[in-house]
Amino acid sequence: MTATRITIAGLEKEFSRAGQSTMAVDGVSLVVEPGEIFFLLGPSGCGKTTLLRMIAGFTEPTKGRILFDDVEVTWLAPNARQVGMVFQSYALWPHMTVAENVAFGLRIRKLRSQEIQRRVHAALDVVRMREYESRRPNELSGGQQQRVALARALVVEPKVLLLDEPLSNLDAKLRNDLRSEIRRICKQVGTTTVYVTHDQKEALAVADRIAVLQSGRVCQIDSPHRLYSNPSSTFVGGFLGEINLLRAKVHQRGPGQAEMTTSFGRVFSRHESADRAIVGSSISIGVRPERIALAEFTTSEVGFSGTITTVLFLGDTTLLKIQVGEDLIRVSAPSSRIYREGEVVRVIVDPSDVICFEGPQDDPAST
Ligand code: ADP
Ligand code: MG
């Protein structure tokens, strides 16, 4: 079976309730390529579930179109779309065994029992749960239950697999283990997958591409690496991980580079976003805490002088807050040496790590 392309064009969903209306999804257009693992990432309430439910057919759009390959499915009933869904709650039937749970969708379709058994075994093999086929859900861990839910979704060979926060009921260790498992399973089966989460680490680890949503709109669609290293706005930059946002005034611009004035001196950017900087304008510059290097004050002339105000030892890294000019900069340093509050250090930033954002904006993560 060849994989399906999902095309979403100008999709909107407006909820009205007691005279109040909410634009849950506000003009979303995107294409999910065949076999791709595509993430919808954003804070709670940004419209992820509503968008996913429209792809599944559980929610009718107010406007716009959804196509699976060349077939418009916008108004098709869920069972006519051939989608498989996995939710946060495992929603397994407690009175059925693992095998019976997985077989359910095939029994409804009245397949021959030999064929059902073959496909149930194949699906359980994919999620590595074959040896548990006779157990009931309450005899399984949360992670195992979610594997069964995945097998149940995959066994009907859906055109599209839809996952809504599938790991958020699991503890941190299981969540980590299942991340790579889900990616392996989706790639092995080859089904086009749309995966909803508010957890940026999960998205970065599992996705081929991610759409970051805010208030029902798409902010940016890119690969995990590009989203992290070249966010198009302070919102995206802050949502994907820690970032220092500093106010700066653009002093000079050359091809692929900009020179800014900050509270602590001249800063260069040779990041690809430097082309956004307009001479004379006030902008925000962003630097990830792990991209900042420190040198001993006495041994170096490069960088900027700063005073460590806070030290948080995290084991592999140490999180520091450093007062540099009027800015408090967060630095994630290797724990190879001990840092002390009050210590004066030099803060070194490579110009290729200085991201330029248009205009001074608020950072959602810094509150
Ligand atoms: P997310 O999954 O990103 O947390 P949702 O898609 O569930 O967000 O919700 C997006 C917005 O739409 C929220 O403001 C939510 O309150 C609203 N919403 C979702 N479902 C309904 C509904 N059935 N009726 C009214 N408002 C809804
Ligand atoms: Mg949701």
Side-chain angles (χ1 to χ4, degrees), residues 48-49 164-165 196:
K48 306 180 294 293
T49 294
D164 193 349
E165 312 258 5
V196 161

Side-chain angles (χ1 to χ4, degrees), residues 185-204:
I185 291 163
C186 292
K187 285 298 169 191
Q188 187 174 331
V189 177
T191 308
T192 307
T193 301
V194 182
Y195 188 132
V196 161
T197 186
H198 65 275
D199 181 335
Q200 88 282 2
K201 291 226 165 78
E202 201 166 301
L204 291 172

Side-chain angles (χ1 to χ4, degrees), residues 201 242 289-290 310-321 330-339:
K201 291 226 165 78
E242 287 249 19
E290 76 278 9
T310 311
V311 178
L312 194 64
F313 176 67
L314 298 175
D316 53 344
T317 58
T318 302
L319 194 64
L320 306 168
K321 286 185 184 167
R330 285 162 292 163
V331 176
S332 174
S335 292
S336 48
R337 87 164 179 80
I338 295 172
Y339 296 93

Side-chain angles (χ1 to χ4, degrees), residues 15 17 22 24 43-50:
F15 287 110
R17 190 190 261 164
T22 313
S44 176
C46 73
K48 306 180 294 293
T49 294
T50 305

Side-chain angles (χ1 to χ4, degrees), residues 99 103 106-121 133 155:
L106 301 177
R107 291 204 197 287
I108 287 181
R109 280 159 216 226
K110 306 220 183 316
L111 267 66
R112 285 178 35 240
S113 64
Q114 257 182 339
E115 174 67 5
I116 291 176
Q117 196 183 40
R118 187 190 66 75
R119 280 169 66 169
V120 167
H121 282 168
E133 64 175 335
V155 78

Side-chain angles (χ1 to χ4, degrees), residues 334-349:
S335 292
S336 48
R337 87 164 179 80
I338 295 172
Y339 296 93
R340 301 190 195 287
E341 287 171 16
E343 189 181 335
V344 176
V345 290
R346 291 200 77 88
V347 172
I348 300 163
V349 183

Side-chain angles (χ1 to χ4, degrees), residues 90-367:
Y90 325 121
L92 300 175
W93 288 286
H95 58 285
M96 292 186 193
T97 65
V98 163
E100 287 163 352
N101 263 284
V102 176
F104 189 80
L106 301 177
R107 291 204 197 287
I108 287 181
R109 280 159 216 226
K110 306 220 183 316
L111 267 66
R112 285 178 35 240
S113 64
Q114 257 182 339
E115 174 67 5
I116 291 176
Q117 196 183 40
R118 187 190 66 75
R119 280 169 66 169
V120 167
H121 282 168
L124 287 174
D125 280 340
V126 169
V127 301
R128 298 187 174 148
M129 284 295 291
R130 176 84 175 267
E131 60 190 290
Y132 299 92
E133 64 175 335
S134 310
R135 294 221 194 158
R136 290 186 200 277
N138 66 3
E139 297 166 324
L140 302 174
S141 72
Q144 291 170 331
Q145 289 185 55
Q146 208 52 316
R147 284 170 190 262
V148 176
L150 203 52
R152 190 180 53 179
L154 289 170
V155 78
V156 298
E157 294 174 1
K159 286 192 162 156
V160 170
L161 179 64
L162 305 175
L163 307 159
D164 193 349
E165 312 258 5
L167 304 182
S168 53
N169 273 352
L170 307 176
D171 61 47
K173 168 81 171 72
L174 265 178
R175 218 160 42 225
N176 277 338
D177 294 348
L178 263 189
R179 272 179 200 160
S180 51
E181 269 296 278
I182 288 193
R183 188 170 162 86
R184 175 190 67 76
I185 291 163
C186 292
K187 285 298 169 191
Q188 187 174 331
V189 177
T191 308
T192 307
T193 301
V194 182
Y195 188 132
V196 161
T197 186
H198 65 275
D199 181 335
Q200 88 282 2
K201 291 226 165 78
E202 201 166 301
L204 291 172
V206 182
D208 290 321
R209 282 191 307 153
I210 301 169
V212 180
L213 300 182
Q214 183 186 24
S215 309
R217 293 166 186 254
V218 174
C219 304
Q220 186 175 357
I221 300 177
D222 250 318
S223 69
H225 192 272
R226 279 204 54 85
L227 267 185
Y228 189 81
S229 59
N230 191 20
S232 62
S233 67
T234 54
F235 173 78
V236 174
F239 198 76
L240 284 173
E242 287 249 19
I243 191 165
N244 290 290
L245 291 174
L246 312 172
R247 276 169 198 280
K249 189 148 185 184
V250 184
H251 184 68
Q252 276 189 46
R253 250 279 306 281
Q257 60 175 5
E259 185 185 350
M260 274 86 55
T261 320
T262 66
S263 77
F264 48 85
R266 289 283 161 85
V267 172
F268 285 91
S269 171
R270 259 178 237 112
H271 187 265
E272 57 183 297
S273 61
D275 290 332
R276 294 178 197 149
I278 296 164
V279 173
S281 67
S282 290
I283 64 167
S284 294
I285 54 174
V287 187
R288 301 262 180 219
E290 76 278 9
R291 310 301 300 183
I292 299 174
L294 298 178
E296 312 286 325
F297 182 61
T298 48
T299 60
S300 176
E301 291 290 297
V302 293
F304 308 96
S305 171
T307 306
I308 297 175
T309 62
T310 311
V311 178
L312 194 64
F313 176 67
L314 298 175
D316 53 344
T317 58
T318 302
L319 194 64
L320 306 168
K321 286 185 184 167
I322 303 178
Q323 188 74 45
V324 190
E326 288 165 22
D327 289 297
L328 196 59
I329 295 179
R330 285 162 292 163
V331 176
S332 174
S335 292
S336 48
R337 87 164 179 80
I338 295 172
Y339 296 93
R340 301 190 195 287
E341 287 171 16
E343 189 181 335
V344 176
V345 290
R346 291 200 77 88
V347 172
I348 300 163
V349 183
D350 189 305
S352 64
D353 292 324
V354 177
I355 307 168
C356 298
F357 296 107
E358 280 168 53
Q361 290 166 60
D362 292 326
D363 169 17
S366 74
T367 43

